[in-house]
Amino acid sequence: GENVEQHPSTLSVQEGDSAVIKCTYSDSASNYFPWYKQELGKRPQLIIDIRSNVGEKKDQRIAVTLNKTAKHFSLHITETQPEDSAVYFCAARDSGGSNYKLTFGKGTLLTVNP
Amino acid sequence: DGGITQSPKYLFRKEGQNVTLSCEQNLNHDAMYWYRQDPGQGLRLIYYSQIVNDFQKGDIAEGYSVSREKKESFPLTVTSAQKNPTAFYLCASSMGRTAYNEQFFGPGTRLTVL
């Protein structure tokens, strides 16, 4: 099955700096890579996703890049703000016909210091 | 945040007892999922269902059981066979039909075994 590795496990930045979280996956046939944000005490919510036929996607201050050859994808947050502080999870969709299940990384705790 | 609910929010269980966690959605989603969240472990898939009356084991199904008798409901039973059941349990749903649909999460149930 799919295996997703996520780094770093914790990340601390100053407000206004950029933050980058990296993930690698094992199944070269995976074709969908979402990122979820979980604030303290709340449920995970999708913030951005990318399909395998796209190399980069942006949404305001967040962007995701995908390198299919190297089997890794990254989340980039620019101009970080204290409200960006949360746990971020990357995920990859398992290949396998109509299988919709995702495999998640172990998460990155991002702290943005004012 | 509405659309998918879990109950109860907190649940305490004595060793040797089975307990059932509720998950309901009114989003008309076909697919539903159960995850277990432990500190530093990310989200691990327990069971998932892509259609009524059908479900598949995830990565950590041992000691758990599910049913999917109605589209709206996907209860999870934690049996006495689960060796370490204390955890935060998240239910999710997605439209299904394609691989790229967002998974929407419920607020979670925190289970503690006394």
Side-chain angles (χ1 to χ4, degrees), chain A residues 22-64:
Chain A
K22 300 181 180 180
C23 290
T24 60
Y25 60 98
S26 60
D27 185 350
S28 58
S30 289
N31 59 7
Y32 175 62
F33 308 92
W35 286 87
Y36 285 79
K37 174 184 180 182
Q38 186 178 27
E39 297 177 12
L40 186 63
K42 296 192 176 181
R43 68 190 81 188
Q45 291 190 303
L46 179 73
I47 56 171
I48 195 166
D49 56 13
I50 192 167
R51 302 186 186 186
S52 58
N53 59 348
V54 175
E56 183 176 4
K57 184 177 178 181
K58 289 183 179 180
D59 183 3
Q60 299 182 6
R61 294 186 299 107
I62 61 173
V64 56

Side-chain angles (χ1 to χ4, degrees), chain A residues 32 34-39 41-47 87 89-91 100-105, chain B residues 1-7 22-27 29 31-37 42-47 88-95 101-109:
Chain A
Y32 175 62
W35 286 87
Y36 285 79
K37 174 184 180 182
Q38 186 178 27
E39 297 177 12
K42 296 192 176 181
R43 68 190 81 188
Q45 291 190 303
L46 179 73
I47 56 171
V87 178
F89 295 99
C90 63
Y100 303 143
K101 72 187 188 86
L102 298 172
T103 298
F104 284 84
Chain B
D1 280 353
I4 179 164
T5 59
Q6 292 183 241
S7 62
S22 169
C23 178
E24 303 277 334
Q25 54 96 3
N26 62 2
L27 300 169
H29 285 171
M32 297 186 74
Y33 314 81
W34 274 105
Y35 294 93
R36 171 176 172 145
Q37 186 173 23
L43 303 173
R44 293 184 290 169
L45 184 65
I46 305 172
Y47 269 97
F88 188 57
Y89 291 87
L90 284 162
C91 178
S93 69
S94 70
M95 196 177 297
N101 294 129
E102 175 181 356
Q103 289 191 15
F104 292 85
F105 286 84
T109 292

Side-chain angles (χ1 to χ4, degrees), chain B residues 56-78:
Chain B
Q56 289 81 39
K57 292 182 179 180
D59 300 317
I60 56 166
E62 185 175 351
Y64 300 98
S65 65
V66 294
S67 63
R68 187 84 187 278
E69 298 177 0
K70 299 188 298 181
K71 188 175 185 178
E72 304 79 18
S73 179
F74 191 41
L76 173 74
T77 297
V78 184

